[in-house]
Amino acid sequence: MTGTPRSVILVAMTDELATAADQALEAALEAAGARDPREFYRERLRELKRVNADEYETAVTYYRETLIPGVGGGTADPLDAWMEYGRRLASALAPGRTMSVDETGLAHPYEGPDRDRLVVHLPDDKGGRALLVGLPPTLSAAQRATYRVLVEGKQRLPD
């Protein structure tokens, strides 16, 4: 058998998809004025690796087989796909429910990405803090207050 080994071709294809996915996300972030969630999600992934190896492997498989091919291949909206990944990470870390908070502070069951809403995952463990899934480009006063109480655990708003 001559030519390039199959494993080299697969790595090259994966690298190309990853590069395309990064470029698509960066373009979408700039166009929407959105915040880059990758560093935050990396922290969640490291935490997941530490506490649940099986869920970590599931998250990595989803990243490799669904997120990167979808975003890099142009079949998934980059911002929506990454928010879904963040929701999956939060759910894997702490069983519970994901909620979105509109600009008035009203919470709604999460029904999919909505870029104008604060998205948090509320663990079933009542002692645990909410896990951040997604932030709108600008938090309203009500969303900021919700974030401070549920995610940061602050009981008082700054003066």
Side-chain angles (χ1 to χ4, degrees), residues 11-31:
V11 168
M13 287 173 51
T14 302
D15 288 346
E16 288 175 15
L17 270 177
T19 299
D22 282 345
Q23 291 170 345
L25 177 61
E26 288 167 16
L29 290 168
E30 186 174 328

Side-chain angles (χ1 to χ4, degrees), residues 42-98:
R42 282 185 200 107
E43 289 175 29
R44 289 279 182 245
L45 195 56
R46 284 190 290 271
E47 184 180 352
L48 187 57
K49 183 177 184 179
R50 197 179 78 251
V51 300
N52 190 329
D54 290 339
E55 289 291 344
Y56 169 79
E57 287 302 324
T58 299
V60 169
T61 298
Y62 181 87
Y63 173 86
R64 288 184 184 144
E65 295 179 4
T66 303
L67 180 67
I68 294 302
V71 173
T75 59
D77 178 275
L79 299 177
D80 293 351
W82 273 96
M83 187 174 293
E84 177 58 21
Y85 186 61
R87 189 195 64 75
R88 287 172 165 272
L89 289 173
S91 295
L93 277 167
R97 64 188 190 282
T98 304

Side-chain angles (χ1 to χ4, degrees), residues 98-137:
T98 304
M99 305 293 287
S100 63
V101 180
D102 67 25
E103 64 282 346
T104 69
L106 186 61
H108 307 269
Y110 179 79
E111 294 179 350
D114 184 337
R115 296 184 196 136
D116 293 327
R117 292 188 177 184
L118 168 66
V119 180
V120 294
H121 182 76
L122 304 174
D124 288 339
D125 173 12
K126 302 302 180 210
R129 288 189 189 157
L131 300 173
L132 178 65
V133 173
L135 291 168

